Amino acid sequence: MFPSISLNKQARSYSGAFNKRVFLATISTLILISLFVFVTAAQALTATEVAKGFICNCGCQKNLEDCSSTMKECGIGQDLVKIIAQKVSAGEPKAQITSYMMKNYGEKILTAPTKRGFNLVGWLSPFVATAAAAALIYITIFRWARQTPKLARVNKKPGAAKDKYSKKLDDELKKFDY
Amino acid sequence: MVDIAYFSLIVSLALSGYAVVISLLGARLKREEMIKSGERAVLSVFVLLTFASIALFHAFLSRNFQLEYVASYSDRSLPTIYTISAFWAGNPGSMLLWAWLLSIFSAIVIYQNRRKNRELIPYILSILMTTSVFFLAMIIFTANPFKQLNFIPPDGRGLNPMLENPGMYLHPPTLYLGYVGFAIPFAFAMAALITGKTGEVWIRTTRKWTIFAWFFLAVGNMVGAWWAYYTLGWGGHWAWDPVENASFMPWLTGSAFLHSVMIQEKKRMLKTWNMVLIIITFILTLLGTFITRSGVIQSVHSFSQAGIGPFFLGFMGFVLVGSLTLLAFRLNKLQSKGELESLVSRESTFLFNNLILVGLAFAVLWGTVFPFISEAVKGTKITVGPPFFNQVATPLFLILLLLMGICPLIAWRKATPSNLRRNFIYPLVAAIAGAILAYIGGIRLILVLITVLLMIFVTTTIVLEFYRGTKARHRMANENYFKAFFTLIWRNKRRYGGYIIHAGVVLLFLATIGEGYKTEKIVNLKKGESVQIRQYNLKFENLSTFPTASKQVAAANLTVSNSGHLKSITARKEWYPKQEQNWTRVAVSSTLKEDLYIIFSEFSEKGDNATFKIIINPLMIWFWIGGYVMAFGTVIVMWPDRREKLRLATGYTRR
């Protein structure tokens, strides 16, 4: 009734390789999505877009563009946007405008921290923590799968037709479900 | 009445403390009368806090300005509808709402468990009442809503204009229903740890509570987004503000918990992980209240006072250390009995779904607290705003969407190559074809194309699940397809309600696609002048200014012509002299395709010209529709199900 040990081993190694392939393919896709989205953040091109990179320090918690265009009574926002517009029309690159703003108002003026120095800890920690947890889950599942009693798997050759008992069980479960 | 209400708060505090002690003693000494006494104390707290809350409502409605809280958050001109919602406009009322809801839920728990879980009940009540002691102590010593002034002011200071919005009717109470709701599964979990009954009973008993709390947190977040969109007037609905993040984090971990408990129910696995998740979720609900109420983090949503922060931090520390210590003591009782056969199985995808949800919660928490970390390390302040969260969270959201599609396609226990081929072929083909069509249709933003691909993939898996289920029922029960479809959902509410929730999430993603195609324009128009933006022609008709009891209003009347259809809309600017605050009321015209969003920025003294910021937000309405679909799915999941009860009672597990 039971397949031979060698067949079982073969099936298990085939199953393990298949598992690993699927798992690695999934993880690679996920990493690619993450990298792609992370690297392809929109680049600012206009004065409006540049102004969106700075926070208004009037206390409204909006970015400079949103504050100055919706709250005309916010004098600070209006003045800063004018300065940015002048610099953009003078052909100054975004990096230069950013360093001007940081020099005068501190790093706090940026809507997001720079991707330099200690700030990289901020940017990368969520990804590193998630990747580390993913590795931990992988190892845990791998161990669990190995610890699962042999009898529970012994008669399941991957891709092969199910025996009549497990087929019957599945049919019963389907009835119960639907 | 006010004095009696204050006294009832003090008695409630004493009774909550009594309930903690007597319940624990009763459990320890196995004295039923002590346990009953604890229950009666809890019920008394519920009655007293109900009285105190009614007294506060009465004080607002009767304009009792001798109460400092009433004078600070209302005035005679405030409409009755907002006078009622002023209850939760400030710290004292919000904390009372927390404590009141907790007492209501505790009373329901006593009623629901009058004949079951008797061993757990004293511990559950002592945990709930410890939380009650904390909130009541905070109310009495730092934020007393019944504090009286030694004079009666002729009028109050009025409500913050931002809070004069229908959203404020629903947003705080729904969020608090969610926050406080998670206290119940937490209390059951801790009671399970204390008694060593760490099986599935606490999870089954609290499943509805968990869904209830999760649902209201979702509703609270949606209403908050709706309020931000219509009230804050910057053209968006989610700004990754610390207070928004605070209510989003427990929703994420709560979602992870809801998925993870399914594995424990079916496979008797992940017991420790589920404990960790409910502990994290409950602490995040406290953190949410702390961030909103302490004022430690600057936010557009923070209507708070300083001074309560250290107490909150202390209580959160106490809960964290206490619950983790309990968990550590009971680790031996939390060993999994289940088996996991393969890396490629539905169980594994659930684990990875949990990873991404918790990873997202961590990313949001990290971004929220990173300014403090940076200041401590570098000594310089930084801002962590939307660009950070968008870049960090977007990949994780997309992975979550992918997993949402993969999960239903992979078999429980173990997936074989043929199983994967059979299940993945249609969704994959549909997704790739959809993405190609989107590209041909002119979509060039790669991020949008990825989202479209994943959305179609998930939608196809959901449709296939319904199709296969309906077909199976049609074949087995000989029902017509229409009947088979509805019976399928009715007999498997949890499963198919869950898929409907997933469909709602897909619609939320659909709405976010529109972000990439937003159009913005600032225009200055003279009276009678028009401007053309895409297919819209906007004509500034006139400006009318008029005073109301509490404010000076400037209303800009515009006519919008959209492909021949004419519509009049009004954008307003309001000046609240009492609060010395300017406020903008946006005009929004919605279609299934897009929202026309008009912000009235400024106007000339004569009123003959005005400046508007006009935004076209594509697909925006799908965000709200997605919310309704999610709510509909949750109602189906929560609907009482006799079969489900039977299934759980017989200990059925699909292995």
Side-chain angles (χ1 to χ4, degrees):
Chain A
M1 186 178 170
F2 293 105
S4 69
I5 297 295
S6 59
L7 234 182
N8 199 28
K9 268 186 185 168
Q10 197 185 347
R12 207 179 305 163
S13 81
Y14 172 74
S15 167
F18 165 68
N19 277 343
K20 275 184 191 165
R21 272 207 309 275
V22 173
F23 182 78
L24 288 174
T26 312
I27 290 295
S28 314
T29 312
L30 303 184
I31 290 171
L32 278 175
I33 291 176
S34 305
L35 278 175
F36 185 81
V37 176
F38 191 72
V39 170
T40 57
Q43 298 295 308
L45 296 167
T46 62
T48 304
E49 286 303 315
V50 175
K52 282 186 175 173
F54 303 106
I55 202 116
C56 183
N57 49 17
C58 73
C60 66
Q61 302 298 306
K62 292 176 181 172
N63 68 51
L64 270 182
E65 203 281 323
D66 281 338
C67 177
S68 64
S69 60
T70 59
M71 292 169 61
K72 294 289 179 187
E73 56 276 10
C74 174
I76 308 165
Q78 298 290 330
D79 293 345
L80 288 176
V81 168
K82 271 178 203 158
I83 292 171
I84 290 168
Q86 280 165 8
K87 287 184 174 294
V88 169
S89 47
E92 282 189 32
K94 191 193 171 194
Q96 204 174 320
I97 301 172
T98 304
S99 47
Y100 166 85
M101 295 293 278
M102 280 173 67
K103 194 178 156 194
N104 287 291
Y105 304 100
E107 200 179 340
K108 198 177 184 298
I109 194 83
L110 302 176
T111 49
T114 56
K115 287 174 185 163
R116 284 198 302 265
F118 181 73
N119 290 344
L120 277 174
V121 175
W123 282 101
L124 296 177
S125 291
F127 295 109
V128 172
T130 310
L136 192 72
I137 289 175
Y138 174 76
I139 293 165
T140 310
I141 298 175
F142 191 70
R143 279 188 184 165
W144 279 345
R146 277 176 53 180
Q147 281 166 7
T148 302
K150 285 176 188 174
L151 269 177
R153 309 182 299 189
V154 75
N155 209 22
K156 292 187 179 61
K157 199 167 94 180
K162 293 167 184 169
D163 66 56
K164 62 177 179 181
Y165 296 109
S166 67
K167 193 170 183 309
K168 194 174 178 186
L169 175 67
D170 279 355
D171 288 343
E172 291 293 324
L173 288 173
K174 269 182 194 165
K175 278 182 196 170
F176 202 74
D177 233 16
Y178 298 125
Chain B
M1 191 169 180
V2 164
D3 290 332
I4 303 171
Y6 179 60
F7 185 67
S8 71
L9 288 181
I10 295 170
V11 178
S12 297
L13 174 63
L15 281 173
S16 299
Y18 171 77
V20 173
V21 176
I22 201 75
S23 299
L24 287 177
L25 272 176
R28 182 90 183 147
L29 304 171
K30 297 197 187 316
R31 299 264 297 271
E32 188 60 26
E33 74 276 13
M34 284 183 166
I35 296 170
K36 284 279 175 204
S37 174
E39 289 181 5
R40 281 192 289 273
V42 174
L43 294 174
S44 307
V45 171
F46 157 63
V47 173
L48 289 167
L49 290 184
T50 303
F51 171 75
S53 302
I54 291 169
L56 189 58
F57 276 121
H58 179 262
F60 269 106
L61 289 168
S62 61
R63 314 281 187 205
N64 182 354
F65 296 123
Q66 194 173 8
L67 286 192
E68 190 185 20
Y69 185 55
V70 176
S72 303
Y73 290 95
S74 68
D75 60 14
R76 292 189 190 281
S77 64
L78 192 66
T80 309
I81 196 162
Y82 296 121
T83 309
I84 294 169
S85 66
F87 182 107
W88 45 79
N91 269 354
S94 292
M95 306 266 250
L96 179 58
L97 183 65
W98 226 105
W100 184 31
L101 288 175
L102 187 65
S103 73
I104 296 170
F105 292 173
S106 304
I108 295 171
V109 165
I110 291 172
Y111 177 75
Q112 285 177 329
N113 294 278
R114 63 197 181 283
R115 288 192 204 95
K116 58 179 181 182
N117 300 321
R118 294 307 301 167
E119 207 177 324
L120 296 177
I121 272 296
Y123 297 107
I124 292 165
L125 293 182
S126 62
I127 287 154
L128 293 174
M129 285 301 107
T130 303
T131 314
S132 176
V133 166
F134 168 70
F135 275 95
L136 286 167
M138 295 284 285
I139 293 167
I140 292 167
F141 299 115
T142 68
N144 175 16
F146 299 107
K147 188 178 173 187
Q148 297 187 50
L149 300 165
N150 50 15
F151 65 102
I152 303 175
D155 200 359
R157 285 201 286 273
L159 189 66
N160 184 330
M162 273 202 276
L163 304 180
E164 282 191 44
N165 179 282
M168 276 305 106
Y169 242 89
L170 282 174
H171 177 53
T174 45
L175 268 190
Y176 279 21
L177 281 169
Y179 284 168
V180 185
F182 272 118
I184 308 298
F186 171 77
F188 270 82
M190 293 304 103
L193 285 178
I194 294 168
T195 56
K197 293 187 174 301
T198 53
E200 285 68 55
V201 172
W202 75 272
I203 280 178
R204 286 177 193 158
T205 312
T206 58
R207 202 177 76 79
K208 288 272 164 74
W209 277 106
T210 308
I211 298 170
F212 169 89
W214 179 88
F215 170 71
F216 278 105
L217 259 188
V219 172
N221 276 302
M222 288 302 285
V223 177
W226 182 86
W227 171 78
Y229 187 64
Y230 286 93
T231 305
L232 292 182
W234 56 276
H237 59 280
W238 195 265
W240 296 105
D241 179 271
V243 169
E244 293 171 354
N245 296 346
S247 55
F248 188 45
M249 287 184 282
W251 185 81
L252 287 168
T253 54
S255 305
F257 179 68
L258 271 174
H259 285 88
S260 174
V261 291
M262 287 187 223
I263 302 286
Q264 185 170 343
E265 282 180 82
K266 284 182 191 294
K267 306 280 288 185
R268 311 263 195 276
M269 293 167 67
L270 308 180
K271 288 181 180 178
T272 312
W273 177 237
N274 285 329
M275 287 286 176
V276 171
L277 275 181
I278 194 62
I279 292 169
I280 292 174
T281 305
F282 182 62
I283 287 173
L284 287 175
T285 64
L286 292 174
L287 183 74
T289 316
F290 164 70
I291 289 177
T292 322
R293 292 290 142 209
S294 66
V296 289
I297 297 179
Q298 217 179 2
S299 155
V300 289
H301 303 267
S302 200
F303 309 101
S304 54
Q305 67 181 37
I308 61 170
F311 299 105
F312 251 106
L313 281 177
F315 185 64
M316 284 193 290
F318 167 71
V319 173
L320 184 68
V321 172
S323 49
L324 289 182
T325 307
L326 258 178
L327 185 67
F329 272 113
R330 290 293 186 198
L331 271 181
N332 59 331
K333 288 229 169 204
L334 294 164
Q335 297 298 318
S336 288
K337 286 178 186 164
E339 299 154 355
L340 205 145
E341 287 182 39
S342 166
L343 266 166
V344 187
S345 61
R346 193 176 292 187
E347 291 90 327
S348 301
T349 58
F350 266 70
L351 278 175
F352 282 101
N353 140 303
N354 260 242
L355 165 73
I356 299 301
L357 284 165
V358 175
L360 266 167
F362 172 72
V364 177
L365 177 67
W366 183 248
T368 308
V369 300
F370 192 68
F372 298 105
I373 297 171
S374 172
E375 194 175 357
V377 174
K378 292 198 303 180
T380 51
K381 280 192 171 184
I382 58 160
T383 307
V384 177
F388 173 88
F389 291 104
N390 288 339
Q391 282 187 60
V392 171
T394 305
L396 295 174
F397 272 123
L398 290 177
I399 294 169
L400 190 67
L401 188 61
L402 177 68
L403 286 172
M404 220 163 75
I406 290 176
C407 194
L409 298 178
I410 293 191
W412 287 98
R413 217 165 55 191
K414 184 177 188 176
T416 60
S418 62
N419 164 263
L420 291 184
R421 266 196 302 275
R422 191 176 61 242
N423 289 346
F424 274 80
I425 189 79
Y426 294 119
L428 267 180
V429 168
I432 292 166
I436 291 170
L437 278 176
Y439 184 82
I440 293 167
I443 292 176
R444 292 293 183 272
L445 293 174
I446 196 80
L447 199 57
V448 173
L449 284 171
I450 293 174
T451 313
V452 168
L453 184 127
L454 294 176
M455 275 167 42
I456 297 172
F457 179 68
V458 177
T459 309
T460 316
T461 62
I462 296 169
V463 171
L464 271 179
E465 281 294 306
F466 278 93
Y467 169 72
R468 284 175 180 153
T470 308
K471 207 173 139 192
R473 255 211 89 74
H474 164 72
R475 204 178 49 240
M476 283 190 284
N478 206 20
E479 290 169 344
N480 65 47
Y481 280 103
F482 187 75
K483 191 181 176 196
F485 177 75
F486 287 104
T487 319
L488 175 78
I489 298 171
W490 192 245
R491 292 200 171 188
N492 298 273
K493 297 181 189 76
R494 194 170 167 185
R495 180 174 175 174
Y496 291 96
Y499 288 142
I500 293 172
I501 296 172
H502 284 186
V505 175
V506 172
L507 292 179
L508 301 187
F509 276 92
L510 174 68
T512 56
I513 284 178
E515 280 284 313
Y517 297 92
K518 218 172 177 175
T519 306
E520 294 183 0
K521 195 168 185 176
I522 298 168
V523 290
N524 186 281
L525 297 175
K526 289 193 180 101
K527 206 156 93 178
E529 199 177 3
S530 300
V531 65
Q532 186 76 29
I533 297 170
R534 300 234 301 251
Q535 78 274 32
Y536 297 99
N537 184 279
L538 268 89
K539 187 178 175 192
F540 173 39
E541 298 288 356
N542 57 55
L543 183 91
S544 53
T545 54
F546 54 91
T548 70
S550 61
K551 57 190 177 264
Q552 184 69 35
V553 180
N557 300 307
L558 300 117
T559 307
V560 181
S561 164
N562 177 15
S563 314
H565 298 285
L566 284 176
K567 189 178 179 182
S568 293
I569 50 174
T570 305
R572 287 153 66 123
K573 214 162 168 65
E574 298 169 349
W575 167 246
Y576 291 77
K578 203 176 276 180
Q579 293 88 354
E580 294 191 344
Q581 229 176 325
N582 248 317
W583 205 247
T584 305
R585 306 279 175 195
V586 297
V588 183
S589 173
S590 297
T591 63
L592 289 178
K593 191 181 159 205
E594 62 203 9
D595 274 14
L596 176 69
Y597 189 97
I598 301 167
I599 307 159
F600 184 15
S601 305
E602 66 174 345
F603 56 95
S604 66
E605 227 168 88
K606 285 181 189 167
D608 52 356
N609 83 56
T611 306
F612 302 94
K613 182 174 183 180
I614 299 158
I615 303 170
I616 296 173
N617 277 333
L619 303 171
M620 189 58 220
I621 203 168
W622 292 100
F623 193 81
W624 318 122
I625 294 174
Y628 283 117
V629 173
M630 284 175 74
F632 176 64
T634 314
V635 170
I636 290 178
V637 170
M638 283 178 78
W639 203 267
D641 191 337
R642 201 167 38 84
R643 278 185 184 76
E644 181 72 20
K645 268 188 184 171
L646 190 72
R647 234 176 277 188
L648 294 176
T650 52
Y652 162 71
T653 53
R654 195 200 308 190
R655 290 178 182 229

